Structure formats: C-alpha cells, structure tokens
Amino acid sequence: MFFHPMDFLIIIAFAISLWAQFKVKGNFKKWSEVSAYSGRTGAEVARSILDQNGLSHIPVEPVPGMLSDHYDPVSKVVRLSEPVYYGDSIASVSVAAHEVGHAVQHKKSYGALVFRHRMFPLVNLTSGIAPFLLMGGLLLQQFQLVGVGIVLFSFAVLFQLVTLPVEFNASSRAKHYLLAEGFIRNDEERGVNKVLNAAALTYVAAALISLLELLKFVMIFFQGQREE
C-alpha cells in the first residue's frame, strides 16, 4: 500500500546524499592536511574578508564540533568549528571564506538569501504539520488532507531549492576572495573546489530528495482523485 514506484528514485537520491556526505568528510580530511601557502588560519581569513567588505562589526567565533560552521544572520556572527577556526589548511580557509560569503550576501541583500530568510518562519511551521496531513490522509484515504499536506510540503521543497543558489553563490564569493586577497595560490584552487563542491553536492541531494517526495505525493493525490 505504501510502496510507490517513485520510492525507487527516492532511494537512489538518498544513496547520492550519503555519498555526498562521505565526500564532504573525505575531502575535508584530505585538504585539512595541506597547509595553504599564506599560512593564515580560518579565523584570520574570515576576519580579513569581513573587514575588506565593511563588516568589521561582525565577530568570528570558534564553536565545538566538526563541520559545524555557519553564519548566524540573527546574531550577525560567523561561527567556525575549531578545526576551521584554528587551522591554516586549504580546507580551513575554504570553509571560513564560504561562511563569510553568507555574511556578505546578507549585507548586500542577495535576493535568494533574503527570500529564504523570509520563508523560514513559514517553512518552520508548515514542515511540522505537512507529514501528519500526508500520512493521515493516506491512512484514512482522505485525499483532501493529502492535497493540503502537499501544499504545505511544497513550501519546504521551495526552501530547499532556494538554498541552492545561496550556497553556490557563497562558494563563488569564497573562491574569489581567497584568490584576490592572496590567501591561496592559483595551483591551490583545485583543493578549494574539491572542498566546496562536495559540500554543495549535499544541498543538491537534499533538494532532489524533497522534490522527488513531493512528486510522489502529487501522483498519489491525482490517482486517488481519479478513483473516488
């Protein structure tokens, strides 16, 4: 009853997601062992790029954990995991520059980022309700509930899709800053690409899973409508 032909594609997408996470950890570990030519730490790189972009008021803080790096748009602070904050490797400066890229996006009101921030409260609400409506509708064979669940779930899918240009743009900014300010040499750009592209793939996989799940429920909804 609950198996659907789309589940095969969803399983493949999950496998891609697991592979992407493996690549992120593998590339980060590999390039964490290669010091960047500038010898600057992730914290120093982040601080310098922020200052160069008129963001001297934004602090850079270390946080525990592995790959827990993020820019907090509410508190307006760049938080870097300890290996990134204190490390001077290609992986460290790549991740640090990427997170600063988000801070610069925020300052410049980058369209996709602004849209994602405005969506967040709505997505936070609907993503908690949608699964109950979808599963409840399927169990009770009430396809009106499934339809409402689809509408609510579509906001979460849109959020995932909007995240893609946000992440790609932050990585593009990071590569530009690292080269323009001399934190890496041209021959080190390959390592930066490996680290940032692997991370981007995890977002692509997550968006693909959400999109396929949405398509699955839409197909179930229309099939149920025909049978009623």
Side-chain angles (χ1 to χ4, degrees):
M1 175 181 175
F2 291 102
F3 182 80
H4 189 273
M6 286 295 296
D7 288 333
F8 178 70
L9 293 178
I10 292 172
I11 290 171
I12 293 176
F14 267 111
I16 293 173
S17 178
L18 291 174
W19 177 76
Q21 293 175 37
F22 173 79
K23 291 291 290 183
V24 168
K25 293 177 181 178
N27 278 303
F28 184 83
K29 183 177 184 299
K30 175 181 178 180
W31 293 100
S32 289
E33 298 170 357
V34 181
S35 295
Y37 120 93
S38 65
R40 306 287 290 277
T41 66
E44 290 171 335
V45 167
R47 179 74 274 150
S48 178
I49 297 174
L50 286 168
D51 292 346
Q52 289 291 327
N53 284 275
L55 295 171
S56 300
H57 61 285
I58 293 184
V60 181
E61 300 176 351
V63 291
M66 180 68 70
L67 298 175
S68 53
D69 315 86
H70 63 279
Y71 166 65
D72 184 340
V74 177
S75 302
K76 293 186 177 180
V77 56
V78 172
R79 297 192 176 100
L80 303 177
S81 60
E82 291 177 350
V84 170
Y85 188 93
Y86 297 108
D88 64 355
S89 67
I90 290 176
S92 296
V93 300
S94 300
V95 173
H98 175 89
E99 298 309 330
V100 171
H102 288 309
V104 177
Q105 287 175 336
H106 194 187
K107 178 194 175 185
K108 296 186 176 182
S109 297
Y110 177 63
L113 183 72
V114 172
F115 184 55
R116 191 177 71 165
H117 286 172
R118 290 177 178 173
M119 281 189 67
F120 182 76
L122 178 62
V123 172
N124 197 35
L125 174 65
T126 59
S127 61
I129 301 173
F132 293 102
L133 292 175
L134 291 168
M135 296 309 298
L138 290 176
L139 285 170
L140 300 173
Q141 294 293 291
Q142 295 293 320
F143 291 98
Q144 295 86 350
L145 290 178
V146 175
V148 176
I150 287 171
V151 173
L152 297 184
F153 183 50
S154 65
F155 289 110
V157 175
L158 180 59
F159 186 83
Q160 294 271 19
L161 293 175
V162 171
T163 295
L164 297 181
V166 173
E167 294 300 326
F168 288 136
N169 180 264
S171 290
S172 178
R173 292 175 189 270
K175 295 170 191 177
H176 170 74
Y177 297 144
L178 290 172
L179 282 170
E181 298 190 25
F183 294 122
I184 62 168
R185 296 189 306 250
N186 288 331
D187 61 337
E188 293 177 314
E189 191 174 3
R190 174 175 170 270
V192 174
N193 286 332
K194 288 286 187 179
V195 172
L196 296 182
N197 291 347
L201 183 58
T202 63
Y203 291 100
V204 172
L208 179 60
I209 291 169
S210 296
L211 193 60
L212 290 173
E213 288 178 336
L214 177 62
L215 181 58
K216 168 187 170 181
F217 287 118
V218 169
M219 293 171 66
I220 291 172
F221 172 76
F222 282 113
Q223 182 181 355
Q225 291 292 91
R226 288 195 301 267
E227 293 174 355
E228 285 185 348

